[in-house]
Amino acid sequence: MITLALSKGRIFDETLPLLAAAGIEVTEDPDKSRKLILATTRPDVRVVLVRASDVPTYVQYGGADLGVTGLDVLLEGGNQGLYQPLDLRIAACRLSVAVRADYDYASAVKQGSRLTVATKYVNLSRNFFASKGVHVDLIKLYGSMELAPLTGLADAIVDLVSTGNTLKANHLVEVERIMDISARLVVNQAALKLKQAPIRRILDAFASAIPQS
Ligand code: PRT
Ligand code: MG
């Protein structure tokens, strides 16, 4: 049995075409059932649904053989020991700094002010601002980062941006792009050895179906 860990939402949705290329179809709709283990048209392949931030943990400890997870999750969580054979180029976005439209970020940075930054990505933010020599106080949030500059909780946020619509709707502007993000395939090292042939077949099919841009 091959177990693939996915999170509901964009990772699940955007992995489906890659699975199709491998001849694998998920036979249950995660939005219509409460099941956490989904069967596929291949009797030897199943999908488990976990929180996005738990995908690397499942794969690292063998709860799943393979997983699809954002580079943001991998870098923030320090799971770089995992075998990451493929950039799937799905769920693409960028990690950026954003502020209120009326906040002069450039001057604050130039004057060496101490910025308060709210984010879910405290490790990535700490490294980024340290590399720029900008002093920051970091506030860890678990969601709705956009609210922080609007309520006076923080001067800036570090968050993922794709269309930019969420920032725009909250009168925030992107002032710095930290890095490009996309989803990666991660593989359990032991599974790669023990189930080499079936895992290789999936890797090759995924590789041939990665969207080009
Ligand atoms: O939502 P939940 O708390 O359950 O978990 P999660 O946020 O970890 O999962 P999910 O499914 O939202 O995101 C999974 C992965 O998708 C992330 O780890 C990223 O690698 C990737 N991804 C790609 C994104 C986005 N694009 C994205 N736009 N993840 C989140 N967003 C959010 C962003 O945080 C912001 O709130 O969408 C909003 C901005 O979108 P735009 O289009 O308005 O710019
Ligand atoms: Mg989300």
Side-chain angles (χ1 to χ4, degrees):
M1 177 65 75
I2 301 285
T3 302
L4 170 67
L6 298 176
S7 54
K8 264 193 188 185
R10 70 191 98 216
I11 295 280
F12 181 86
D13 298 344
E14 296 187 31
T15 301
L16 289 184
L18 300 176
L19 283 169
I24 302 165
E25 227 176 288
V26 182
T27 49
E28 280 150 315
D29 180 349
D31 295 326
K32 292 195 182 119
S33 111
R34 288 171 177 268
K35 284 190 190 166
L36 298 175
I37 301 181
L38 307 179
T40 73
T41 46
R42 281 253 309 263
D44 62 328
V45 179
R46 63 180 185 175
V47 168
V48 292
L49 295 175
V50 304
R51 275 302 286 268
S53 46
D54 291 336
V55 168
T57 308
Y58 266 81
V59 175
Q60 186 156 0
Y61 295 103
D65 302 305
L66 306 163
V68 177
T69 185
L71 180 62
D72 52 313
V73 174
L74 287 169
L75 295 179
E76 180 64 22
N79 296 94
Q80 289 142 62
L82 278 173
Y83 179 50
Q84 296 173 42
L86 288 178
D87 177 353
L88 300 174
R89 303 176 70 161
I90 57 169
C93 57
R94 53 197 186 267
L95 185 71
S96 292
V97 183
V99 299
R100 271 167 61 150
D102 59 4
Y103 181 80
D104 192 347
Y105 176 75
S107 305
V109 165
K110 207 157 83 199
Q111 287 161 15
S113 313
R114 210 176 167 87
L115 298 187
T116 304
V117 178
T119 186
K120 178 164 134 183
Y121 300 99
V122 286
N123 295 321
L124 288 171
S125 300
R126 189 182 302 109
N127 292 340
F128 172 71
F129 288 109
S131 75
K132 285 175 58 84
V134 174
H135 297 285
V136 290
D137 291 313
L138 294 165
I139 297 179
K140 165 91 183 184
L141 291 178
Y142 293 90
S144 302
M145 262 76 81
E146 298 83 7
L147 199 55
L150 305 179
T151 54
L153 181 69
D155 301 311
I157 60 170
V158 168
D159 194 12
L160 301 175
V161 180
S162 48
T163 61
N165 290 340
T166 306
L167 292 182
K168 202 180 281 173
N170 291 291
H171 311 289
L172 300 177
V173 290
E174 193 177 357
V175 286
E176 203 144 21
R177 202 184 254 241
I178 300 177
M179 66 174 78
D180 288 326
I181 300 286
S182 55
R184 308 298 158 109
L185 186 71
V186 290
V187 184
N188 176 271
Q189 304 272 6
L192 187 61
K193 292 195 190 104
L194 294 170
K195 307 176 188 176
Q196 195 167 12
I199 288 181
R200 274 280 154 223
R201 273 200 297 278
I202 293 173
L203 287 185
D204 291 344
F206 274 28
S208 69
I210 292 171
Q212 303 300 319
S213 66

